[in-house]
Amino acid sequence: MKHASPLPAAPRVQWSTWALLTGLVLLIISSFATLPLKWGDFFSTDAVRTTADFLHGFAPPELSPNFLLKVGTATFETLAMSAIGTVIAAIVGALLALPASGRFGLLARNATRGLLNVLRSIPELVWASILLIAAGLGPFAGTLALALHTVGVLGRLFADAFENCPPLPAASLRVNGAGPAATFLYATLPQCSPQMLSYTLYRWENNIRAAAILGVVGAGGLGQMLKYHLSLFQMQPAATVIIAMLLMVAAVDGLSYVLRRAMTR
Amino acid sequence: MPRDPAWRGRLITTAVVLIVLWPMLVQAEFKPWILWDAQSLSATWQFLSSFVPPAHSAEFLAIVATSTWETIAMATAGMALAMLGAIPLTLLVTERLSISRLGSGKVAPLSAAIRHAVRTLLVVLRSVPELVWALLLVRIVGLGPTAGVIAIALTYCGMLGKVYAEILESSDAAACNALLNNGSSRLAALLYGALPDAAAELVSYTIYRWECAIRGSVVMGFVGAGGLGQRMDESMKMMAGDELATMLMVFVVLVAGADAVSAMLRRRLS
């Protein structure tokens, strides 16, 4: 006696899904095939010994009070870079969000959005290395780099917030004879500002992490110290800097977790 | 014009923000006027004017194409390795798949300890920034894409492992529990209980991370891990603005392309 299968038939898989999967597998295989990867250098006994020596050089981390003070200053510098960069970006982003939300016509909207996309798609580190020429080595270039990238991100988020804002309050002000500036300041902006503030805080959190590593191209903060000590093969100070980075990021993560919990409760 | 009813609060907030920002401005050497300094202006102008026309000799374009592919390949290979590491670690770390908790609801101490250790490993892997991994690995394996691939694999293994576990934990528990209570193995409970509910989100997150890895692998080139970033860094040091202009354009297109592919794939899933 033949039983019908208790399970329903499996859903048909579309041919395009197969094509995508095949493409994906081909992409992965060709990636490994074409890259000049030197696994031998990484897994040979020689490499294991070099790695062990290298890691051994980190211990113990440099802990002299003088050096710790320097690390503390660099940490503050990193925080300062991220805070100033984010503030500048929030202000400029809000200004650019006005044309980008279609207030000055479709042409201005598309042009500004294009600009914001370019600003956003170039990472902070690339901006920093370009800005070194105009702003010189040091944290100022890093701050500007963070600001430029973040303008792209926040400008677009703010513009979306303005566009999705409920139009009724603004419309009623307009109908009663308020000018466009007053309408924006007293209807649209107050409605969007909580969302804008939370975007800005979120970006600040991201920027702290970004500012920590920005220095490897010479743009100040902890990254610059790390690069400096690593290139002189001073491993123990480098270890301290890496630990400081980890602690800072962990503190920021913890703080933002607590704040988020407190705000959503 | 009527007075702003909230003017006092606004004024005080502005003052407090300025007082807090002041030491930060000093520490960050925030001196915008140096941008308008004659020397800096001429250097910037010289550099910017070398952007046009962008470099477009066939030879250079071939180099750019090769390094762009290298960047994509680094991101893809790194992601593949990261998934290879993250999937088993997720299986270890997901409490939903715990057998010892069945009945009592409490996980056995040994399993809890293992889970905790693996979770700590994931946290460490992902909290060291990929650029720092690359910086260290370049000193171990030398310049080139190997360091970049391993750096992406390590950081993203941590991220994927953590988020995979979170997604699985937040999926519907009923199917998984029913399977485990009836004696199925952990792997079967994952495949038939948790995955059908969570698969789309897992894949979507992985694709999003692949997009991030492409951006990340350009950045890692700046510390010598190969690809487009390393070429950019070289052109930058030679102040070859025309080459930089071409590569920036390629980069913007690459990011937009990865963005579009990832959005297309994720739309198919939902």
Side-chain angles (χ1 to χ4, degrees), chain A residues 174-230:
Chain A
R174 290 293 277 161
V175 166
N176 285 295
T183 312
F184 174 73
L185 286 175
Y186 289 95
T188 314
L189 192 60
Q191 279 176 293
C192 298
S193 56
Q195 206 181 2
M196 289 166 74
L197 187 67
S198 86
Y199 284 145
T200 309
L201 285 177
Y202 163 71
R203 275 321 296 188
W204 184 28
E205 191 189 326
N206 273 21
N207 280 348
I208 295 178
R209 249 167 278 166
I213 54 167
L214 215 49
V216 298
V217 294
L222 283 171
Q224 193 163 356
M225 270 186 103
L226 178 65
K227 174 85 178 201
Y228 173 80
H229 289 296
L230 271 183

